[in-house]
Amino acid sequence: MQRIGIVDLGSGTSRLVVYLFEPGKHFRLVDEIREPVRLGEGLASGNRLTAGGMERAFSALKLYADFAAATELEEVRVVATSAARDAENGPEFLRRVRELGLNIRILSGEDEARYGVMAVANSFALEDAWVMDLGGGSAQLSRMAQRRYSFGRAYPLGAVRLTEMFLKSDPPRKGELEELERFVKKEMREVLARVREEPLPLVAMGGTIRNLAKLVQKQQGYPLDLVHGYWLERNALEEALERLLKMPLPERRDLEGLQSDRADIIAAGGLVYRTVLREGGLRGLWVSGQGVREGVFYEEFLPAPHLLSDVRGFSVRNLFARHPQDFAHTARVRHLCRQLFRALAPLHGYGPEDERLLDEAAILHDIGMSVAYYDHHKHGEYLVMGAAIPGLTHREQVLLGLLVRYHRKGEPKVGAYKGVLEDGDPRRLLRLAAMLRLSEYLERSRAGRVEALEVTLDDRHVRLGLRADSEPWVEIAEASKQGKLFKQAFGRELVVEWVR
């Protein structure tokens, strides 16, 4: 296992993330320190880094350097973006940073765009998309084609920069807002015309869009504490923005879901996104929890071209790797699930997407055992629902978490997650959970005694013939106890018997 620290020194905030990883196999985020630095403060008027901005940045970098030394973190990569790139006194700033013993790299606008696309390619199940990253000093809008960077550029449309240029009043005046929007349209006219011609999914990253998404989620009572993979409707963004634009700064600082150090610049960033969605003719965007930092990490984690072959499959395996269980038992439960799913197809009518979801639940069903045996189904649900699983939609992640929750006991219910799911999902949950639970109890001894299933269907019954060298009494007894759930799911009586 290796450790690497990555620092993204932005125009508004700076963040150190630390990853523990085995190259190409699995990784996990193990630490993070975020500091508001406002390095880009004053660039809109003077094109120079201010003394205050540089001192805040140095203070943050000293903190990171000390942390790296204290934790014996051997490798720390520092990347700086538009503020350090655009400022006349940027070279002076870099010299002082290198005196701290940190290796800093200034990213070009295209570098930023490429890393943003790499992050999206490795965290969304998308082949083609528009990718937007709005920071404090600049915004990048790029085209991802076949999961690779196609083209893009940086625009002087960062939230800090635009706030200083246009929003002088608190709350902002109508004329200030209109002037800002005209500037955005002028700067992005050509690329927004391309977006209208190719109305692909738009994936947005950065603190501005994450905070806007959290505001909308809080206001709507969204049941998941997940931002990555969240679909933010244009109408919802516009409604949240309208409320923000009427609030004075002290009120914005107290809003739940909004980081207080972003309260003064969130309006400018929101106006950029509103303009892009309107002018691009898009009805919403996907929110990314990953960005430049993750792009830099993937370059280290994966060989060229630094792309996961299967984002969703990797993410599920990566979660399993953080909470490893009995590999042989897991494999046998997966095998039994696959047999049941295919044999019962005439009753459920589901296709490959649902079979994949069931298989993922079989992989993860016991990860809660890493916490404790008792209530491990509940611990497992928490682990599945506690963080984004890239490649899955929020709906798919909810279904996966609920399948883990009900893999051993309880009546499968969607509960508070109903609003995230589709109309047929309660029945889908019931049927998939019944198959997963049966598979778990057909492997109750964890000894692999049931080698295969012989499934026969008639109008009233489903007969499970268990092929085994000797009578698997425990498996027959425990699986038979699931007859009530099985009948509720499939409308048939369950008969479990040994086939010699």
Side-chain angles (χ1 to χ4, degrees):
M1 297 292 287
Q2 301 178 31
R3 282 195 310 153
I4 187 171
I6 299 169
V7 175
D8 177 6
L9 181 60
S11 301
T13 61
S14 177
R15 196 184 306 256
L16 164 70
V17 293
V18 181
Y19 284 101
L20 182 69
F21 67 102
E22 185 174 354
K25 294 185 178 180
H26 55 87
F27 69 86
R28 61 189 175 104
L29 178 69
V30 295
D31 221 323
E32 177 183 87
I33 303 177
R34 175 185 180 274
E35 292 290 304
V37 295
R38 291 290 172 91
L39 182 59
E41 180 183 78
L43 275 178
S45 56
N47 203 33
R48 291 179 61 82
L49 301 176
T50 65
M54 287 193 289
E55 287 306 315
R56 287 190 295 272
F58 290 140
S59 178
L61 292 170
K62 287 178 183 178
L63 172 65
Y64 303 150
D66 185 62
F67 177 86
T71 59
E72 298 181 347
L73 183 59
E74 295 180 355
E75 184 176 7
V76 178
R77 294 189 180 182
V78 183
V79 294
T81 54
S82 65
R85 179 174 68 233
D86 298 340
E88 292 178 356
N89 56 342
E92 173 192 342
F93 171 73
L94 294 182
R95 283 195 298 271
R96 292 187 59 188
V97 171
R98 291 186 175 112
E99 290 174 3
L100 298 174
L102 294 172
N103 182 21
I104 186 170
R105 175 187 169 199
I106 306 299
L107 300 183
S108 67
E110 186 170 338
D111 288 335
E112 279 193 81
R114 286 181 183 277
Y115 281 128
V117 167
M118 191 180 296
V120 168
N122 287 310
S123 61
F124 281 85
L126 294 171
E127 293 287 324
D128 300 278
W130 294 102
V131 178
M132 185 167 176
D133 183 0
L134 190 149
S138 67
Q140 291 77 41
L141 185 56
S142 312
R143 174 73 159 83
M144 182 175 77
Q146 296 299 300
R147 302 184 64 214
R148 288 172 170 79
Y149 174 84
S150 177
F151 64 85
R153 56 163 289 197
Y155 301 87
L157 301 174
V160 174
R161 186 190 299 264
L162 292 178
T163 299
E164 292 181 355
M165 289 174 66
F166 297 104
L167 306 186
K168 311 294 185 181
S169 307
D170 182 32
R173 296 197 196 115
K174 181 180 179 181
E176 295 173 345
L177 303 178
E178 291 173 346
E179 191 177 358
L180 188 155
E181 288 186 313
R182 282 195 295 271
F183 182 73
V184 175
K185 292 177 186 178
K186 177 183 175 183
E187 290 290 326
M188 304 188 81
R189 181 182 296 112
E190 293 182 5
V191 70
L192 291 179
R194 294 286 299 270
V195 173
R196 284 193 299 272
E197 293 170 3
E198 293 185 280
L200 298 167
L202 172 64
V203 182
M205 59 184 61
T208 292
I209 199 62
R210 289 195 301 270
N211 274 252
L212 287 168
K214 288 177 183 177
L215 282 175
V216 171
Q217 289 179 338
K218 295 294 183 183
Q219 291 163 359
Q220 295 183 347
Y222 195 67
L224 297 178
D225 189 22
L226 298 174
V227 173
H228 182 87
Y230 178 65
W231 170 253
L232 180 57
E233 292 276 357
R234 187 176 88 190
N235 290 341
L237 183 148
E238 291 185 351
E239 289 174 8
L241 183 59
E242 285 299 324
R243 286 192 289 269
L244 286 171
L245 293 174
K246 295 174 182 177
M247 291 181 182
L249 180 57
E251 288 186 25
R252 295 199 300 273
R253 290 193 194 280
D254 291 335
L255 282 175
E256 186 178 9
L258 177 61
Q259 292 169 320
S260 60
D261 60 272
R262 293 188 187 275
D264 59 333
I265 61 171
I266 194 72
L271 286 166
V272 175
Y273 278 112
R274 186 175 75 177
T275 303
V276 168
L277 290 175
R278 286 179 174 179
E279 296 299 307
L282 302 174
R283 63 182 186 88
L285 55 80
W286 295 99
V287 180
S288 173
Q290 300 194 14
V292 170
R293 292 180 300 276
E294 287 75 17
V296 173
F297 170 73
Y298 287 125
E299 195 172 55
E300 177 72 20
F301 178 66
L302 299 166
H306 316 298
L307 293 175
L308 295 167
S309 60
D310 175 10
V311 173
R312 177 171 173 170
F314 171 83
S315 298
V316 171
R317 294 192 303 274
N318 195 44
L319 179 57
F320 181 85
R322 298 203 295 270
H323 309 281
Q325 293 304 311
D326 184 336
F327 286 92
H329 169 71
T330 299
R332 289 191 290 265
V333 171
R334 292 178 69 188
H335 179 61
L336 291 166
C337 277
R338 190 157 43 246
Q339 292 183 74
L340 278 175
F341 184 91
R342 295 175 182 178
L344 296 175
L347 300 183
H348 59 67
Y350 297 143
E353 291 184 3
D354 296 291
E355 184 173 8
R356 181 173 191 177
L357 183 64
L358 179 61
D359 183 61
E360 291 164 343
I363 293 172
L364 299 176
H365 77 279
D366 265 349
I367 63 171
M369 294 275 280
S370 64
V371 178
Y373 171 77
Y374 289 112
D375 287 337
H376 71 264
H377 54 300
K378 297 179 182 178
H379 301 316
E381 178 193 11
Y382 171 79
L383 293 174
V384 170
M385 301 296 289
I389 303 179
L392 272 73
T393 65
H394 284 193
R395 168 187 169 267
E396 291 164 339
Q397 189 164 345
V398 164
L399 286 171
L400 182 58
L402 290 174
L403 286 170
V404 171
R405 167 68 176 81
Y406 292 112
H407 84 271
R408 62 189 292 260
K409 63 194 307 187
E411 181 181 346
K413 297 178 180 178
V414 300
Y417 300 118
K418 182 178 180 180
V420 182
L421 300 178
E422 297 175 356
D423 289 342
D425 284 341
R427 178 166 291 276
R428 177 176 283 102
L429 170 66
L430 175 64
R431 289 175 166 176
L432 295 181
M435 288 184 274
L436 177 60
R437 192 180 300 182
L438 258 183
S439 300
E440 170 76 342
Y441 286 115
L442 289 171
E443 232 293 282
R444 184 62 182 87
S445 66
R446 294 175 174 255
R449 297 200 295 175
V450 176
E451 298 173 357
L453 302 177
E454 292 183 5
V455 184
T456 57
L457 314 177
D458 60 37
D459 291 341
R460 295 181 54 199
H461 303 89
V462 171
R463 298 182 182 277
L464 294 187
L466 313 187
R467 295 181 61 88
D469 290 338
S470 59
E471 185 173 15
W473 178 252
V474 170
E475 284 74 16
I476 293 172
E478 293 293 285
S480 296
K481 292 177 184 178
Q482 308 310 314
K484 180 180 178 181
L485 177 66
F486 188 87
K487 186 172 184 179
Q488 184 182 357
F490 296 103
R492 302 286 196 281
E493 299 289 342
L494 177 66
V495 178
V496 185
E497 53 194 11
W498 176 35
V499 177
R500 296 174 183 272

